[in-house]
Amino acid sequence: MLLTLGMLGASLYFYQYAFVPSHKTFLSNRTEPAVLRAQQWLKHVPKETWTETGAHSELRLVADWVPAAKATAKTVVIAHGYMNTKEDMARQIRFFHAAGFNVLAPDDRGHGQSQGNYIGYGYADRLDYLKWLQKVIHRVGQGAQIGLYGVSMGGATVMYLSGEKLPKQVVAIVEDCGYTSIMDELAAQGKQLFSLPRYPLIPAVALTASIKAHYNVFAASTIAALNHNTRPLLFIHGARDKFVPTSMVHREYAADHSAKQLWIVPKAGHAQSLTVEPGRYQQRVIGWFDRYFD
């Protein structure tokens, strides 16, 4: 009984630690100067605030729509990282806008201006993004050409999306340092931060989260989703990533059977590939979408 109570207490603690939106002491609070400059740009660029209702929920979700300076059908939908917001993606929004693309940048459930009291880790959010995609198509038209782009949790989000029945307008995907599954990421962080083994705690936390957040954490595998992907996919990962171990991207790359490329960025830690290789990063990402946009 004591063991059971102890496991229950630990599961609830780690659910609060990992799944409830709040200040996270294990995350850096430093904002890079390049991002700060882009955030100032984002405040003043012409844009619209879009809203949507979460899939299978009454949550009010919010996104920024930044139209291209010149009318175009080419659009990139951006997915942000864990405990980030659309404003944290300002640097990417800016370079996609400069390349002549429309950009849609949502706040995920429990993040930024969107409602929610739990973190969906991209898996719960993937169904929300399907609704955002329909909103883009309604705005741009049936001739829309859409690229999906995400970093960290956002990278997992677009990989989860790759396994869904996507609208034909989605033509290419770029994922940067997304994880193989929620359970794998929880296990990696449990080991790194607390030297904890995967069993029995991580399955217990996953069960707790599945009950409290009302989505199946056990089913949240990007590997399974990638087995069904048909869109060209560029994988990016830092060679020195310890937050989402670099070994994960090799498993993801092997699971995908579409047209694909893998870029491991030397000396880059987690979500630092753009910082370490800004010119090459933008060239590769923009080039990937340009290759598949008409």
Side-chain angles (χ1 to χ4, degrees), residues 7-264:
M7 184 57 63
L8 177 61
S11 299
L12 290 170
Y13 172 82
F14 277 98
Y15 172 80
Q16 183 78 25
Y17 189 83
F19 285 86
V20 176
S22 63
H23 174 72
K24 307 296 182 183
T25 57
F26 57 88
L27 298 177
S28 172
N29 295 310
R30 177 180 176 272
T31 303
E32 297 175 12
V35 178
L36 290 172
R37 291 192 295 271
Q39 287 174 344
Q40 287 300 311
W41 168 86
L42 184 60
K43 286 181 180 180
H44 302 289
V45 70
K47 62 181 180 295
E48 301 171 14
T49 299
W50 286 11
T51 60
E52 183 58 271
T53 303
H56 309 305
S57 76
E58 296 301 319
L59 297 175
R60 180 180 182 271
L61 308 178
V62 179
D64 279 347
W65 170 255
V66 184
K70 183 178 179 181
T72 181
K74 301 175 182 179
T75 302
V76 176
V77 177
I78 290 182
H80 64 72
Y82 179 87
M83 290 313 303
N84 287 155
T85 66
K86 49 187 167 53
E87 287 78 17
D88 291 309
M89 304 302 287
R91 191 175 182 186
Q92 290 92 331
I93 296 170
R94 189 177 190 178
F95 74 64
F96 284 129
H97 182 267
F101 303 152
N102 305 311
V103 181
L104 181 70
D107 276 335
D108 289 358
R109 298 174 177 215
H111 293 76
Q113 295 174 287
S114 291
Q115 294 178 337
N117 59 4
Y118 61 86
I119 296 168
Y121 278 92
Y123 188 70
D125 311 288
R126 78 195 192 286
L127 302 179
D128 300 333
Y129 276 81
L130 290 176
K131 298 186 73 173
W132 286 123
L133 290 173
Q134 291 302 324
K135 211 171 186 76
V136 169
I137 294 166
H138 179 75
R139 174 60 176 267
V140 178
Q142 291 298 313
Q145 300 171 68
I146 302 174
L148 304 177
Y149 169 88
V151 178
S152 190
M153 186 179 81
T157 303
V158 298
M159 285 190 284
Y160 288 132
L161 268 170
S162 76
E164 298 298 316
K165 186 177 181 181
L166 291 170
K168 64 181 181 181
Q169 288 84 357
V170 176
V171 298
I173 304 172
V174 176
E175 81 82 21
D176 183 346
C177 63
Y179 36 79
T180 48
S181 71
I182 299 176
M183 289 186 66
D184 287 348
E185 183 57 17
L186 292 175
Q189 291 312 302
K191 181 178 180 180
Q192 180 184 348
L193 297 173
F194 304 105
S195 300
L196 291 171
R198 183 176 183 125
Y199 298 100
L201 180 60
I202 300 307
V205 175
L207 178 60
T208 302
S210 297
I211 294 169
K212 292 181 73 65
H214 306 292
Y215 69 92
N216 189 350
V217 174
F218 295 95
S221 166
T222 59
I223 301 296
L226 289 166
N227 280 322
H228 300 284
N229 178 42
T230 59
R231 269 56 171 193
L233 206 161
L234 172 61
F235 296 85
I236 303 173
H237 217 102
R240 296 182 179 178
D241 194 338
K242 295 181 180 178
F243 194 80
V244 176
T246 309
S247 59
M248 289 191 185
V249 76
H250 295 288
R251 293 171 56 199
E252 292 159 350
Y253 186 77
D256 185 84
H257 304 293
S258 69
K260 59 185 178 180
Q261 284 187 10
L262 172 60
W263 182 31
I264 304 294

